[in-house]
Amino acid sequence: MMDAQLKRGLTEACVLSVLDREDSYGYKIVKDLSEVVELSESTLYPILKRLEASDCLSVYTVEHNGRLRKYYRITKTGRLRIEEFLRDWESVLKVYTFIKEGGGRNEQV
Amino acid sequence: MSKSEFLERLAAELGALPQSEAEKTVAYYSEIIDDRCEDGMTEAEAVASLEDVKTIASRIICDTPMQVLVKERMRKPRPYITPLVIVLLIIGAPVWLPLLISVVSVVFSVFIALWSVVVSIFAAVFSMGVSGIAAAVVGFASVSGNFARGIFLVGAGLVCIGLAALAFFGAAALARLYVRLIRRAWRGIKRAFVKKEDGK
């Protein structure tokens, strides 16, 4: 089982990445992400709230079929967050390859 | 469960949140259900595919900063009679009972004092009227005996009657004013009480 903190970070980055392609709304975000991460609308909601609170996305309302739909748009801060995420994971990836290839073990034997 | 039923329950479970937050959450789930319906689900299916209300609500409440919850808790009125309140009332009786009694008696005596002014004015008016009439009658009767005294008495009596008639209107106006004031005070008390109970 993935660490909750880690999963949250990943999901946030996924949501931002979806929004980086185009503005989207709750239901669609979940659908678009369904293949990548396990995500329900209920778990998405706090993430959206957090991202909004940290200025990573902005919200606007659009009328759709006689009701209101909230659309989310990524902000500059949000884009920076994605970049930061990718940078962080590059270093994680280095560690990953190191571990995968057996690290310093070969030299020791 | 229907959509409205689901949303109502959700709103009820989110009572600890500030109203605007609760409304946002309800709007979010309303949108999700509508979107699922648009995608081909029936309303009941859409609601059933979501988690149950309690799980959703507790997750959102856990995700809300503590200070927001505390603030909201402080803002909302507590139920009037909690066990703590009852205990405090009983323990505090020696303090609050005499205070209450003295407040009530002060209010009552002010009330009585105000009304006694009205009553005494009316009594004065009444006695002036009666003595005026009596003086006029006696004056008339004694005109034949002592003319000057008779006329004086009649005149004095008429003056008294006139003053009484004028003073009567004044006293009546004062009484009406009191009644109005009391009504207004009562309304004020009631309003303060309702406001306290609503707490909003």
Side-chain angles (χ1 to χ4, degrees):
Chain A
M1 192 58 215
M2 214 189 278
D3 170 57
Q5 196 75 25
L6 178 63
K7 194 175 173 190
R8 207 168 80 177
L10 290 176
T11 320
E12 280 187 14
C14 281
V15 171
L16 286 174
S17 154
V18 164
L19 295 180
D20 199 24
R21 261 161 258 171
E22 56 172 341
D23 296 0
S24 189
Y25 53 93
Y27 185 62
K28 191 164 184 294
I29 296 174
V30 172
K31 257 175 58 175
D32 288 349
L33 283 180
S34 61
E35 283 166 28
V36 195
V37 281
E38 195 188 315
L39 179 70
S40 72
E41 284 90 345
S42 296
T43 36
L44 175 65
Y45 184 64
I47 291 170
L48 288 173
K49 254 176 51 173
R50 242 189 334 264
L51 289 174
E52 191 191 351
S54 56
D55 273 334
C56 288
L57 54 83
S58 60
V59 185
Y60 61 96
T61 316
V62 170
E63 206 191 296
H64 168 82
N65 275 354
R67 60 190 169 88
L68 295 177
R69 194 184 247 169
K70 264 191 174 177
Y71 274 79
Y72 303 90
R73 172 187 290 155
I74 193 166
T75 60
K76 219 174 181 178
T77 320
R79 292 211 176 84
L80 287 176
R81 179 76 76 88
I82 294 181
E83 279 168 28
E84 196 185 10
F85 176 86
L86 292 176
R87 262 204 311 278
D88 284 353
W89 278 86
E90 243 161 68
S91 55
V92 171
L93 216 60
K94 261 188 215 155
V95 176
Y96 172 84
T97 2
F98 177 78
I99 295 171
K100 186 108 192 248
E101 286 167 359
R105 204 171 44 193
N106 288 345
E107 277 106 301
Q108 271 181 13
V109 172
Chain B
M1 204 193 311
S2 75
K3 176 189 159 195
S4 60
E5 204 181 328
F6 175 85
L7 296 179
E8 256 168 54
R9 283 197 201 173
L10 182 61
E13 289 288 333
L14 293 175
L17 294 186
Q19 204 183 343
S20 67
E21 274 308 312
E23 275 168 12
K24 264 192 208 164
T25 309
V26 170
Y28 176 83
Y29 277 95
S30 166
E31 188 192 305
I32 293 295
I33 293 171
D34 285 339
D35 280 333
R36 287 194 175 189
C37 289
E38 232 168 74
D39 224 18
M41 282 191 188
T42 65
E43 197 178 295
E45 278 171 353
V47 172
S49 66
L50 294 169
E51 292 168 298
D52 78 299
V53 172
K54 283 219 164 89
T55 315
I56 292 173
S58 67
R59 178 182 304 126
I60 289 167
I61 289 170
C62 288
D63 219 54
T64 307
M66 192 59 199
Q67 76 246 36
V68 174
L69 293 178
V70 169
K71 231 189 205 161
E72 188 59 18
R73 182 81 183 83
M74 299 298 281
R75 213 177 57 77
K76 277 197 178 152
R78 275 157 223 208
Y80 254 53
I81 306 294
T82 61
L84 180 67
V85 170
I86 294 171
V87 169
L88 284 179
L89 280 178
I90 293 169
I91 292 174
V95 178
W96 64 259
L97 202 59
L99 274 176
L100 183 69
I101 290 171
S102 51
V103 167
V104 166
S105 42
V106 165
V107 169
F108 187 67
S109 53
V110 167
F111 184 76
I112 292 294
L114 288 176
W115 276 109
S116 56
V117 170
V118 173
V119 167
S120 59
I121 289 175
F122 267 113
V125 167
F126 181 73
S127 57
M128 208 140 70
V130 168
S131 54
I133 291 169
V137 168
V138 170
F140 260 119
S142 60
V143 162
S144 53
N146 185 334
F147 184 72
R149 198 179 65 187
I151 287 297
F152 174 72
L153 275 178
V154 169
L158 287 176
V159 167
C160 273
I161 291 170
L163 280 179
L166 275 178
F168 177 79
F169 288 121
L174 188 63
R176 271 202 297 275
L177 181 72
Y178 275 0
V179 169
R180 259 215 307 278
L181 278 180
I182 286 162
R183 257 196 218 141
R184 192 176 296 169
W186 178 242
R187 268 207 302 267
I189 291 168
K190 221 157 115 190
R191 215 174 298 137
F193 193 75
V194 168
K195 229 185 257 160
K196 220 183 211 169
E197 216 156 33
D198 280 352
K200 273 163 197 163

